[in-house]
Amino acid sequence: MANPTTECIQPAPCGATSWETQLADAVRDEGELRRLLALPPRRAATAERFGVLVPRSLLGRIHPGDANDPVLRQFLPCDQEYARAPRFTPDPLGECSARVGPCLLAKYPGRSLIVTTGVCGVHCRFCFRRHFPYLTADAEAKALDQALAQVAGDPSTHEVILSGGDPLTLADTDLATIAERLAKIGHLRRLRVHSRLPIVIPARVTDELIAWLRGTRLTPIMVVHINHPAEIDSAVAAALGRLVDAGVPVLSQTVLLAGVNDRVEALAALFERLVDLRVMPYYLHQLDRVAGAAHFEVAEAEGRRLIAALGARLPGYAVPRYVRETPDAPSKVVLA
Ligand SMILES: *Cc1c(COP(=O)(O)O)cnc(C)c1O
Ligand code: SF4
């Protein structure tokens, strides 16, 4: 029989900490983040509306002492966020006008996007929804009822996209209920989930998550958001493997970001690694011009050059479509 005393005092191995605990325990203070990564404090640091949020499991994928680390640069506030950039606005995609309900975006034919929550597993400084008017938790539940009714009332909708924020910050019991309610809508065929959590907190890929994704009549599709090969450690590789092994098609989307992944070597390494993990690169996004993110912009001509260079070295299926979101087009605009 195992000795109960030793069992109790043994600390849980890092990978065994639940994703909920990891999210609750994430770093939420810029000063702490800088201390943990051996970086000097930032003089101009202010209380941010869009505050710091970095799960501790990500810290092991960042080089301490390097403020230009390509993973950290995505999450560390910097003074450039306050630089004047008149063409960068709070709602660059005109999403407020694509809102057909408090949490429903019907921008493209056949697909409806539900903003399930404003909560994320990490705060990306370039996020195009950093100024999005998210609802309070109470209003969210009502808005969801309304969104489901609207989807049910539109027979042209074949696919629902759960987005956010990050939909996988919701509990699996809640998500399973949403999936069940969606499956009852006869004209729906597919259920797509857009999330960054399998990358930033790989423990999020639980058996329960796989159970509701696999258990629904709808064809599930997972789109993971990832920007740099250093975001993939062994736990992330294993989490993506669990999804693919379960038969869930997994695609990736990446934002082209200056100082993060605007070199052909970084992009080639990312897409090749993803393909090796059976994740198909789907989109490379041109940065949306959201206020505070101008320092991340890469010129479109440079993006096209990068895609051409990738095409010259990778199999065709490993090169994502380079796209830009525009307020009025019937689809994302393919740049290369
Ligand atoms: C990107 C996006 C979609 C999905 O577009 P796909 O090209 O099918 O990936 C749907 N709705 C909105 C509002 C979007 O921004
Ligand atoms: S996880 Fe997605 S929605 Fe959340 S801050 Fe990052 S880019 Fe924005």
Side-chain angles (χ1 to χ4, degrees):
M1 203 178 104
N3 178 340
T5 321
T6 32
E7 249 177 29
C8 291
I9 57 170
Q10 255 172 10
C14 196
T17 311
S18 75
W19 69 269
E20 291 96 333
T21 304
Q22 291 189 47
L23 185 54
D25 187 40
V27 180
R28 288 164 199 272
D29 176 74
E30 182 181 345
E32 186 189 0
L33 181 63
R34 287 177 170 273
R35 270 195 307 283
L36 288 169
L37 292 169
L39 291 169
R42 183 167 65 107
R43 233 179 285 152
T46 50
E48 274 275 345
R49 195 178 84 86
F50 186 67
V52 163
L53 177 63
V54 179
R56 284 168 209 272
S57 74
L58 252 181
L59 299 180
R61 296 173 247 169
I62 295 169
H63 300 103
D66 181 5
N68 292 319
D69 177 281
V71 176
L72 178 63
R73 193 175 149 79
Q74 301 175 54
F75 314 117
L76 184 69
C78 69
D79 298 341
Q80 286 158 297
E81 291 184 21
Y82 313 105
R84 232 180 74 79
R87 294 164 72 194
F88 286 70
T89 61
D91 179 25
L93 307 181
E95 281 205 326
C96 289
S97 66
R99 277 172 97 160
V100 296
C103 73
L104 190 69
L105 296 174
K107 190 171 171 186
Y108 300 134
R111 290 146 289 174
S112 282
L113 183 151
I114 300 181
V115 177
T116 50
T117 170
V119 179
C120 288
V122 69
H123 281 174
C124 313
R125 307 313 302 172
F126 52 85
C127 179
F128 72 100
R129 295 215 180 104
R130 60 184 283 172
H131 307 284
F132 192 86
Y134 288 115
L135 304 170
T136 60
D138 277 352
E140 259 171 22
K142 266 205 200 116
L144 180 67
D145 291 345
Q146 191 181 327
L148 293 177
Q150 276 172 300
V151 169
D154 178 1
S156 74
T157 310
H158 292 160
E159 176 168 348
V160 160
I161 300 169
L162 301 183
S163 182
D166 197 314
L168 295 188
T169 57
L170 299 179
D172 284 315
T173 45
D174 295 337
L175 289 161
T177 306
I178 294 173
E180 256 169 50
R181 293 174 69 186
L182 289 169
K184 288 193 185 123
I185 301 174
H187 50 263
L188 280 186
R189 290 149 60 160
R190 295 178 300 278
L191 174 57
R192 194 190 325 176
V193 178
H194 278 232
S195 176
R196 199 147 170 45
L197 269 172
I199 306 299
V200 299
I201 305 181
R204 180 63 189 91
V205 182
T206 56
D207 293 344
E208 293 76 18
L209 170 69
I210 286 172
W212 67 259
L213 279 172
R214 289 290 306 156
T216 171
R217 156 187 87 74
L218 304 166
T219 301
I221 299 165
M222 176 70 68
V223 182
V224 295
H225 176 175
I226 179 165
N227 298 323
H228 193 276
E231 291 172 42
I232 305 174
D233 62 8
S234 57
V236 172
L240 295 171
R242 286 197 296 279
L243 285 165
V244 180
D245 283 345
V248 177
V250 183
L251 311 175
S252 69
Q253 58 172 351
T254 298
V255 183
L256 183 58
L257 297 166
V260 174
N261 59 14
D262 56 339
R263 288 181 316 114
V264 69
E265 291 74 23
L267 290 174
L270 172 62
F271 299 139
E272 201 158 24
R273 186 80 207 285
L274 286 168
V275 163
D276 289 347
L277 295 170
R278 299 171 292 165
V279 174
M280 303 314 285
Y282 179 38
Y283 280 146
L284 176 67
H285 288 274
Q286 178 64 12
L287 180 80
D288 299 313
R289 290 188 150 171
V290 68
H295 57 291
F296 283 115
E297 189 171 60
V298 178
E300 276 181 28
E302 177 62 10
R304 286 201 185 87
R305 194 193 66 76
L306 288 166
I307 287 288
L310 289 168
R313 54 159 100 178
L314 297 180
Y317 59 75
V319 183
R321 252 169 293 170
Y322 177 37
V323 294
R324 179 164 47 85
E325 197 77 56
T326 48
D328 304 314
S331 70
K332 298 187 202 297
V333 176
V334 178
L335 300 171

